[in-house]
Amino acid sequence: SRGRGRTPPTPRPIPLSQNRRPLIAKKKKKKSLTLAAAKEIGNAAEGKARELGFTNCVAIVDDGGNLIYLVTMDGTQTGSINVALQKALAALRFKRSTKLFQDMVTGDKPHMAFLPGAVPVEGGLTLFVDGQIYGAIGVSGMPSDKDGIVAQAGADFAATLR
């Protein structure tokens, strides 16, 4: 009856100095949102707003949620400044359009309005370059469907950047 009653030995951990797997992931080359690019994206959005006779506030954040560019067009209510920023941050944090939240809330998922940081109002979009999120745009000042048109103009321009 050899081996009965004996517990197998506990495997010993490999010291970190001998671990063959990398402990830190290799960083991929990442595009960063520059002030110059943010201004151009904002100009594209503002141009669309002017073309349509809208008054909007446009906020653009980088992939860390830092405000890079903000413009408030003449005649826009000051309350739209924070709303535009919050739309951009919501689009960035949830990696989707704020219109998706609006559609869910008005549809069969009203509880989505209570997610912390969610803004269920159209006008917030993520900005992509080469399939990678590198920021977001938020627009406020008009009814949300019009804010969405202006935000889309900025996002469309952003998609052309390399």
Side-chain angles (χ1 to χ4, degrees):
S1 72
R2 223 166 112 195
R4 285 189 189 196
R6 293 175 53 182
T7 58
T10 305
R12 294 174 61 176
I14 300 170
L16 291 177
S17 61
Q18 296 175 9
N19 192 336
R20 300 284 184 240
R21 293 192 328 234
L23 300 177
I24 299 174
K26 288 184 180 178
K27 202 170 186 179
K28 293 180 181 177
K29 257 191 159 180
K30 177 177 129 171
K31 305 248 182 193
S32 294
L33 182 62
T34 64
L35 176 59
K39 284 180 178 179
E40 291 298 319
I41 295 164
N43 287 339
E46 185 181 352
K48 186 64 164 180
R50 288 191 191 291
E51 172 190 323
L52 298 172
F54 300 165
T55 56
N56 289 99
C57 179
V58 178
I60 299 173
V61 298
D62 66 11
D63 64 348
N66 303 297
L67 181 63
I68 301 295
Y69 180 82
L70 176 74
V71 64
T72 304
M73 297 171 64
D74 292 343
T76 305
Q77 65 270 11
T78 58
S80 291
I81 296 169
N82 193 44
V83 175
L85 177 58
Q86 293 307 312
K87 286 180 182 184
L89 291 172
L92 177 71
R93 292 175 181 151
F94 289 99
K95 299 181 179 180
R96 59 185 45 101
S97 163
T98 57
K99 179 159 182 359
L100 292 176
F101 283 108
Q102 177 179 305
D103 292 345
M104 286 188 273
V105 168
T106 58
D108 62 344
K109 297 179 180 166
H111 61 280
M112 297 301 276
F114 300 103
L115 285 178
V119 178
V121 183
E122 187 174 356
L125 295 168
T126 49
L127 301 176
F128 291 90
V129 168
D130 298 330
Q132 171 189 312
I133 295 173
Y134 74 112
I137 184 171
V139 176
S140 182
M142 298 299 289
S144 64
D145 59 325
K146 292 176 173 59
D147 290 345
I149 293 167
V150 174
Q152 190 64 58
D156 289 345
F157 180 83
T160 67
L161 300 175
R162 295 288 169 245

